[in-house]
Amino acid sequence: MDLEIKGVAVSSRSQTQLFSRRKNPLHQEWTSRSWSTQNSCPLEVPPLDLGSLVDSDEEDDFSHAPISTVPIHFDPPKLSPALGWAVPCYKTYMQHHLSEVQDIIPEDLPAPSGKYKLKYQQYETDMKEGYKQYIQRNAEKAKSISIHESSRKQTNEKCDQAEEASMDDLMTLDRKALLQQAYAENPSHKLHCAQKSEAETVAVEKMKQTVAEQMMIDQLCRAVISDPEQNVKIKKEESTCFLPDSKGTPVRFRKRTLHETKIRTNSTLTETVLSHKLEFDGRILSRNGRDALRELIGFFFIRDKSLTVYEYRRFGKNRTNVLPFIQKNIYIHQCGRRKGQQYQLGDFYIGATLTFLSSDHPSLPGSIKENTFLRLRITSINQVALDSLKAFSGGAEDVICEEANDRLLFRAIQDGLKKQLHKSGVRILTGLGKYFHHLDKEGNGLLDKADFKQALEIFHLEVSEKDFESSWLILKGNGSDKDRVDYGEFKRAIIGEMNEYRKSFVRKAFMKLDFNKTGTVPIIDIRKCYCAKKHPQVISGHSTEEEIKSSFLETLKDACNKSDEVSYGEFEDYYEGLSIGIAEDEDFVRILCTPWGI
């Protein structure tokens, strides 16, 4: 039978051209006859529009192909008698499945008996009751779990809040400050530091020799001339009668120099007397950075129990000068348990504090004269000379019992606070410095008892009432004011301070920054001088140099009263707090030497 189908005129040439432009070309050419032979169907199959079966892509556009009617002859397929064409084509989906599904429930079931109905009702009641109990148990269990979870959650929230508060503090200041301790883990340039320390030792010895020579020259040249006893002898000689001599000159008009005078006094010094001396280095305990950085060298003479202090001053790189700071004389304790007693050999040791009245020394700078006392801390001492002088003088004097008890009291308080200050020392010490500076309206450094108690409460420093009262009586006896105490002395007594070996490197670092000797350093200069290239985290790549530098500057700025500069006291407080958590002196020295290059 012939069937006309509207579509594309099929030919071998045109069909090859059309399908060769498709994305996936066919390897076999189709013809209308082969397609009709392979896909034969009965007469009832509706005609297909082959032109509508093309892809929707623009490249498969068949609009240019002519539409024509092509007669196609279909031969009906020869089917086996067992199978019929109409079975899969004309049976619907429901009829096909209904024929396969058999009836599960028979229609002729008998009605349930009364016994069965009773059992069913009992079973239904038991099931409902069991389900109610199951719901109640689940509800009670969920309620107990929710109560337990809520209480545990509240407890955890409280702990988390406390931990977060402490962690926030560590993240903001303490954790960033503790990054500086990582320098102790990098002993890479230990040899370089050793070589530099040897050179510095030679320079220090040369400086001390210069000061000692200048002291000997001053004392030998000025001792006799400045002695009041010489004036008395001159007046006696002038009162005696003698004939006028035209060639001679009266004694009162003669040139009085060491080499021309013939007068010998009882207190005339000799080089032998001056050679029995104890040499020590000192620094001034002051909040003024310019005074605190003065290089002082003192001498204690065992023959007459006198002492003198000289200042070594540097002017540029090559110019230096040695000037007397405290004149040679016999001095006494101005405060403390031994107030009014003369200084003895046992009063000189590393860490000892010598006190002088500022009014007794008119040549002192004006910034020092503002305070009643001049406190001089001994930073280093000639141990060989001290041992020989002890043997010569028959041993040093014993420390009185009251002073020993005072030291034990302060040491016990410091040990109790050390755990609290182990990781937060930088934040607390710098905060205390700012707080005391804010309370010091007069600028003399003196605060009363209530101010110190309030400061301990604000910074959560636990000191018992008994220890506080005992320490207050001791500190009040060391000062000039009966009702107020210097807050620098209070911090050193209650919290403690780093040893003089560590503090000497803090002074070196600040003196390198403070090249103008003003006592303050701009933040810009600190940023320029601080080097974080050798920080372990920078070397490993975990942090950048700028991140380490920014963390240091952020914690240092928090200690400053002014945002654009750092004073020596603030710089010292920063490293004072950092020193609490470092056990070894060499580790602390490496922390200072590595970033500052000292």
Side-chain angles (χ1 to χ4, degrees), residues 456-526:
L456 294 177
E457 292 177 359
I458 291 175
F459 290 91
H460 306 287
L461 298 176
E462 298 178 1
V463 179
S464 65
E465 187 69 24
K466 182 181 178 181
D467 290 342
F468 180 82
E469 293 294 336
S470 301
S471 60
W472 176 258
L473 292 175
I474 297 171
L475 294 172
K476 190 172 64 172
N478 293 339
S480 59
D481 197 316
K482 295 183 178 180
D483 297 327
R484 295 186 297 176
V485 171
D486 185 271
Y487 61 79
E489 289 292 320
F490 180 83
K491 282 175 61 178
R492 288 190 288 269
I494 299 297
I495 298 177
E497 58 180 332
M498 69 178 84
N499 56 44
E500 295 300 326
Y501 177 74
R502 298 188 182 191
K503 194 154 289 188
S504 64
F505 285 91
V506 177
R507 288 162 53 85
K508 285 181 184 178
F510 195 83
M511 283 192 287
K512 182 178 180 179
L513 298 171
D514 186 20
F515 48 85
N516 291 326
K517 309 301 179 186
T518 60
T520 58
V521 179
I523 290 289
I524 299 174
D525 294 343
I526 292 180

